[in-house]
Amino acid sequence: MALNKTRLDRFLAQYCQISRKHVRLMLAQNRVQINGVVAHHIDEIIDNFSHVMLDGEIIQANTAHYIMLNKPIGVVSATRDTQHKTVLDLLEYPFKNELHIVGRLDLNTSGLVLLTNDSRWSERLTLPEHKVIKRYIVSLENKLDESYVAAFAEGMYFGFEDITTKPAKLTIINDYQAEVELIEGRYHQIKRMFGRFRNPVTALHRCAIGNLQLDSELALSASRSLTALEVKNITQISMLDQ
Ligand code: URA
């Protein structure tokens, strides 16, 4: 859901089909509450997740939802697909059709997928300028060496899109495994970056987005709602802060 912001007087005038002068009167009579607090100012800004009551009745109560899913291989990061099970098929929430995916994973990538109906939050997580890191564990067919670290940090030119990838951090775990941190999500980015070394990726798993780690006890295909603190803190760590 796109986040629409509007002034309170405009919202009430439209909702009640009354003049803005009439809205002032309503506010003076303490008839309106926003998020549980009596509203007094016509220019208070509300959005589509503000809880609005008039004369004790709820007139708007859209809830923001934030879900963590442990995506298995073979499930497509889409809301609809004719061939494969989708991440939405794995959810059982009554509001699931309102949700969109915050940064897709390939069909054969597993791990952390976030879903929300709050587009402002998802934009903060996905736009590269916000520098929110996505952390992956990568398994490879051939041995790694230190030259990969510099190449990932420097960035690689992708001719098809005519872009150079933003600096990425590669940490060698062992001869055949690395942790990779990206702040962007180009098409098949990690596989293409290892492709430069002619080193096929045999397994790819996203374990964290920003400050939020995939729960180690969350079973494959299982999901849960994020806590308010997780929603707020997810963008606290960026690669530049480290
Ligand atoms: N890079 C890839 O190649 N695939 C993913 O799913 C995510 C990052």
Side-chain angles (χ1 to χ4, degrees), residues 15 19 47 58 64 73 117 163 180 190 197 203 229 235 237-238:
Y15 180 84
S19 68
D47 61 41
I58 298 167
I73 289 169
N117 58 348
I163 53 107
V180 172
I190 291 181
F197 293 89
L229 202 63
T235 51
I237 291 181
S238 77

Side-chain angles (χ1 to χ4, degrees), residues 125-137:
L125 293 177
T126 47
L127 293 179
E129 54 265 38
H130 296 299
K131 300 192 169 70
V132 175
I133 58 169
K134 288 90 192 168
R135 187 175 304 126
Y136 298 84
I137 302 295

Side-chain angles (χ1 to χ4, degrees), residues 28 31 38 43 52 88 169-170 186 189 194 204:
R31 293 169 58 194
V38 174
D43 55 357
V52 185
L88 274 200
K169 186 172 167 190
L170 183 144
R186 302 281 171 192
Q189 181 164 344
F194 283 102
L204 183 55

Side-chain angles (χ1 to χ4, degrees), residues 71 77 104-110 134 136 182 184-193 201 204-206:
K71 178 184 128 28
S77 287
R104 289 158 200 277
L105 288 180
D106 294 342
L107 188 66
N108 56 0
T109 301
S110 59
K134 288 90 192 168
Y136 298 84
L182 301 180
E184 59 189 341
R186 302 281 171 192
Y187 180 68
H188 295 331
Q189 181 164 344
I190 291 181
K191 290 171 194 149
R192 289 162 80 194
M193 290 179 89
V201 169
L204 183 55
H205 178 78
R206 184 157 66 196

Side-chain angles (χ1 to χ4, degrees), residues 13 31 34 60 94 98 110 149 171 175 204-205 213 223:
R31 293 169 58 194
I34 308 295
Q60 180 184 272
E98 294 171 28
S110 59
V149 178
T171 309
D175 281 351
L204 183 55
H205 178 78
Q213 309 244 10
S223 63

Side-chain angles (χ1 to χ4, degrees), residues 117-151:
N117 58 348
D118 179 351
S119 54
R120 198 168 52 158
W121 187 75
S122 53
E123 254 176 48
R124 249 196 348 257
L125 293 177
T126 47
L127 293 179
E129 54 265 38
H130 296 299
K131 300 192 169 70
V132 175
I133 58 169
K134 288 90 192 168
R135 187 175 304 126
Y136 298 84
I137 302 295
V138 192
S139 303
L140 297 147
E141 196 167 297
N142 306 316
K143 273 191 177 178
L144 285 155
D145 63 55
E146 286 298 326
S147 67
Y148 287 63
V149 178

